[in-house]
Amino acid sequence: MKNLPHYVVIKDLNAKRPAVLSQVAEEISFPLSAEDLSVIKMLEAKFDAEENCAGLAAPQIGFSKQIIVFAVEFNEELKKWRPDLEQTMPKTIWINPTFEAIGEDIHTDYEGCFSVKNLAGPVPRYKAVRY
């Protein structure tokens, strides 16, 4: 896929459809429409094109759709920074994803986001979730 969409970036005056980041994304209906399949294909291609990306959501590339793609792949470099890493998951696409915390344990890690340009910082996440 040659012409991948640009990232929608908060506070970027040149960003197309910046409001998509501050709205609740649309729930997807089944069977998937041709438009939904196209968004999934673009989202996966954008994810695959990144060298260092844990996950990506459709609104980050301008589509108000509840679709995410992510991966947790084991490698020695990641294990160095995340010694508590126990579970991995190959590249996965979720439609209408939801989760709930299991317990109260939280891990804070340093993260960046393609939709927040030139910033990164500590982000608390639950250690265990049910999805």
Side-chain angles (χ1 to χ4, degrees), residues 3-4 9 11 16 27-28 30 35 37 50 59 67 76 84-85 88 102 113 119 123 131:
N3 296 319
L4 294 174
V9 179
K11 297 183 181 179
K16 294 180 182 176
E27 191 169 317
I28 304 298
F30 291 89
E35 178 188 0
L37 290 169
E50 289 297 340
I67 307 168
E76 291 302 322
D84 61 337
L85 179 64
T88 61
I102 300 173
C113 178
L119 291 175
V123 177
Y131 54 88

Side-chain angles (χ1 to χ4, degrees), residues 40-53:
I40 291 167
K41 187 175 179 179
M42 278 187 275
L43 184 64
E44 183 177 19
K46 189 75 168 175
F47 178 86
D48 290 345
E50 289 297 340
E51 202 170 298
N52 186 15
C53 182

